[in-house]
Amino acid sequence: MIPEPRDSDPLDAYSQVVSAVARELTPRVASVRVRQRGREGSGSAVAFTTDGFLLTNAHVVGDAGEGTAAFVDGTTTSFTTVGTDPLSDLAVVRADGSTPEPAELGDSDTLVVGQLVVAVGNPLGLAGSVTAGVVSALGRSLPARNGGAMRVIEDVIQTDAALNPGNSGGALADARGRVVGINTAVAGIGLGLAVPINSTTRRIIGALMRDGRVRRAFLGLITNPVPVPLGLRDRLGQRAALRVAEVVPGSPAARAGLRTGDLVLTAGGVAVSVAQSLQRLMFDDAIGKPLQISVLRNGAMVDVIAEPVELSDAR
């Protein structure tokens, strides 16, 4: 006979957390269907405002201007696409009818490896499916492309919570039911990826709601994070920086004199240690404005001034 679980049993506590998150989020995650180019696509979307805005993946919506959303309580509503951003794989749509109370957006920057997460979505057409696992890695990168423009989605969350086709656009939540990621891809057996909800993606979401698109600045650097040389760490107060792997010919970075091999320490007076450090500066307010960049080159400090251009004008 299997003994009855005790309140202090870790597995029972785990089950209580997962079931509580499921109760909180399942009603707020819709199954969405769109039709584009004569074919029907499906995925998931998360209600995140009181006035009908839903958050999903750009690849779920594609070029479709409208679709339908169905919630687990049987409510079905049409929606219109407000804006998509393929370079972050995020999209915002707005329901024409009523929607549930919104889910709470969290902050993925607070996550740690090993932390419990719960995925809620509609895999394989099965509405209201819930899987649980842990954050198996942080800081992953996911390439994203929009026409000729290429960008790397940084700080992607890797989880072993089972994700399947149809989970895309669904919620990845922490133990308190806060949405910390939007499920986006299956990276392999037992590996799923989610676009993080952090200060950068909140800015993208706000731009999609306001303008229907995201204007980005283009600098023209491809970089990799590396440790700062030991002798400089204490003097600079910085342990990591960005090594320039490539400078795009004719780009603002090239015109400013940046070179392959430069170690980028600061941009706009802010220390840069991961690619997102630069990417979070590359929004519309940086277009056409001088940006001071400090690099270490052959053991010497070099300051240059670059003037980012709008991404659509650059590619």
Side-chain angles (χ1 to χ4, degrees):
M1 177 182 291
I2 300 174
E4 183 175 343
R6 301 185 304 273
D7 288 343
S8 59
D9 189 312
L11 181 59
D12 187 60
Y14 172 91
S15 301
Q16 290 179 31
V17 170
V18 175
S19 60
V21 174
R23 284 194 303 272
E24 175 74 14
L25 273 186
T26 301
R28 295 163 170 78
V29 178
S31 171
V32 298
R33 292 189 176 277
V34 298
R35 179 169 289 277
Q36 51 182 325
R37 299 173 186 172
R39 302 177 63 180
E40 187 174 83
S42 63
S44 304
V46 182
F48 72 103
T49 73
T50 57
D51 51 352
F53 286 99
L54 308 176
L55 184 61
T56 184
N57 287 142
H59 79 261
V60 169
V61 176
D63 296 328
E66 58 186 18
T68 59
F71 295 91
V72 293
D73 65 357
T75 301
T76 301
T77 177
S78 58
F79 67 76
T80 54
T81 301
V82 175
T84 64
D85 181 43
L87 293 181
S88 66
D89 198 21
L90 290 175
V92 172
V93 302
R94 192 171 193 179
D96 300 319
S98 61
T99 57
E101 287 296 306
E104 179 184 354
L105 298 185
D107 183 2
S108 62
D109 289 346
T110 66
L111 294 176
V112 296
V113 172
Q115 184 172 339
L116 170 67
V117 285
V118 179
V120 181
N122 303 280
L124 307 173
L126 303 173
S129 292
V130 176
T131 58
V134 298
V135 174
S136 51
L138 291 166
R140 293 292 191 239
S141 299
L142 183 66
R145 183 180 292 276
N146 183 23
M150 181 87 177
R151 182 179 183 268
V152 174
I153 305 173
E154 294 292 335
D155 292 334
V156 170
I157 305 163
Q158 179 182 305
T159 178
D160 64 356
L163 299 179
N164 292 288
N167 263 121
S168 291
L172 187 72
D174 63 14
R176 293 179 60 183
R178 297 172 297 195
V179 179
V180 291
I182 298 297
N183 301 320
T184 187
V186 179
I189 298 174
L191 293 179
L193 301 176
V195 178
I197 299 295
N198 54 27
S199 58
T200 301
T201 51
R202 283 175 182 269
R203 188 168 181 177
I204 291 169
I205 294 165
L208 291 175
M209 294 173 68
R210 182 181 64 251
D211 304 321
R213 69 187 187 105
V214 179
R215 294 181 67 212
R216 284 191 174 84
F218 174 72
L219 189 58
L221 286 179
I222 298 174
T223 62
N224 297 307
V226 296
V228 170
L230 286 173
L232 291 174
R233 289 184 187 178
D234 291 339
R235 181 157 64 90
L236 298 174
Q238 187 173 341
R239 299 184 63 84
L242 297 176
R243 179 75 67 191
V244 177
E246 182 181 343
V247 180
V248 176
S251 67
R255 291 194 293 271
L258 289 168
R259 305 174 187 172
T260 299
D262 283 348
L263 186 65
V264 181
L265 300 170
T266 67
V270 178
V272 294
S273 56
V274 294
Q276 191 191 12
S277 304
L278 271 179
Q279 290 193 44
R280 63 167 57 105
L281 298 175
M282 295 293 104
F283 285 95
D284 56 350
D285 52 0
I287 297 170
K289 295 182 180 177
L291 178 69
Q292 180 173 319
I293 301 174
S294 298
V295 305
L296 184 67
R297 179 185 298 164
N298 299 324
M301 296 290 293
V302 177
D303 290 331
V304 303
I305 302 293
E307 193 169 294
V309 298
E310 186 163 2
L311 180 60
S312 59
D313 295 336
R315 306 305 295 266

